Amino acid sequence: MKYADDIVLLAEKEKVLQDMFDKLIEIGRCYRMEVNVEKTNVMRISRQPFPVKIMIDQKQLENVESFKYLCIMLTNDGRCTCEIKSRIAMAKAAFNKKRALFTTTLDLKLRKKLVKCYIWSVALYGPEILTIRAVGQKHLESFEMWSWRRMEKISWTDNVRNEEVLLRVKGQRNILHEISKRKAK
């Protein structure tokens, strides 16, 4: 049995995309492979997205507003706020699962390295390849402070300012800098 799965075709113009589909179908048929129209979707990413008309065997492909590819949610408006929120929620769950490790009497430097390695990596998996707008940056910076507050067992009801939290962890805000470094690699 021959099959191929999870193919993404990208084009700037609808006609180019249709030509790419036609070529894919033509080459696939040479190897007795077919495209399942019911499982194939199309999405235009634009500030003002409108449907794309791509045909396969006289059937129009379904237009979708979002889809998950390589564990990242892509939306037709090009925004990544939902993906950032989702990643932050996963990272918070990971932190809470290992809370005892991150809040112990281990050396501060070691705890910070553990948080950055095991928690930030979860939160930054998607955002490191996406274009992050101001709203997403605020979410990520808030998550950074949440991480340090939890690590130091500082409740929001303690009325401790972020600057004080950063002094206690002997650090500064750098989650956005970390994303920039990862993008540069």
Side-chain angles (χ1 to χ4, degrees):
M1 176 187 264
K2 297 177 185 176
Y3 68 92
D5 222 358
D6 297 332
I7 297 173
V8 173
L9 302 176
L10 301 171
E12 289 192 32
K13 304 241 184 263
E14 191 172 321
K15 181 177 179 351
V16 174
L17 185 60
Q18 181 67 61
D19 292 343
M20 291 168 72
F21 264 107
D22 294 343
K23 192 70 170 171
L24 177 69
I25 291 165
E26 177 187 330
I27 292 170
R29 287 187 176 147
C30 292
Y31 295 95
R32 291 190 230 144
M33 297 174 77
E34 296 290 326
V35 173
N36 186 338
V37 179
E38 284 75 36
K39 292 184 177 181
T40 305
N41 300 315
V42 65
M43 180 174 77
R44 177 187 307 266
I45 298 175
S46 172
R47 288 186 180 147
Q48 298 164 339
F50 52 90
V52 179
K53 186 177 179 185
I54 301 295
M55 306 293 285
I56 295 179
D57 295 332
Q58 313 307 322
K59 295 177 189 164
Q60 184 173 339
L61 296 181
E62 177 188 2
N63 279 269
V64 293
E65 293 182 9
S66 65
F67 74 94
K68 200 160 205 138
Y69 183 69
L70 297 177
C71 299
I72 297 173
M73 183 60 70
L74 302 171
T75 58
N76 64 354
D77 62 2
R79 300 185 190 278
C80 58
T81 307
C82 291
E83 180 62 23
I84 290 171
K85 286 180 178 179
S86 172
R87 285 281 157 192
I88 288 172
M90 285 187 255
K92 285 181 175 182
F95 184 98
N96 289 328
K97 212 180 254 188
K98 299 289 184 187
R99 177 187 300 267
L101 176 65
F102 302 122
T103 59
T104 62
T105 56
L106 289 173
D107 178 59
L108 176 64
K109 279 186 175 181
L110 178 59
R111 288 186 295 139
K112 283 173 61 175
K113 284 183 180 181
L114 288 171
V115 166
K116 286 182 177 183
C117 177
Y118 294 109
I119 306 307
W120 284 20
S121 60
V122 173
L124 301 183
Y125 174 74
E128 69 187 10
I129 63 166
L130 301 169
T131 302
I132 304 170
R133 292 183 165 83
V135 173
Q137 288 178 359
K138 284 185 179 181
H139 287 301
L140 289 165
E141 287 178 332
S142 295
F143 166 72
E144 178 179 15
M145 294 310 301
W146 179 92
S147 301
W148 300 144
R149 285 175 180 277
R150 291 302 178 280
M151 188 181 79
E152 289 297 298
K153 298 180 184 175
I154 302 170
S155 171
W156 65 273
T157 58
D158 295 340
N159 293 322
V160 177
R161 298 178 58 86
N162 287 340
E163 292 77 17
E164 174 64 24
V165 174
L166 292 170
L167 286 173
R168 289 186 193 183
V169 298
K170 297 180 176 96
Q172 55 189 3
R173 290 182 186 248
N174 69 352
I175 198 164
L176 297 177
H177 177 69
E178 184 68 28
I179 292 170
S180 298
K181 277 187 355 191
R182 290 180 181 202
K183 282 184 176 182
K185 286 184 180 180

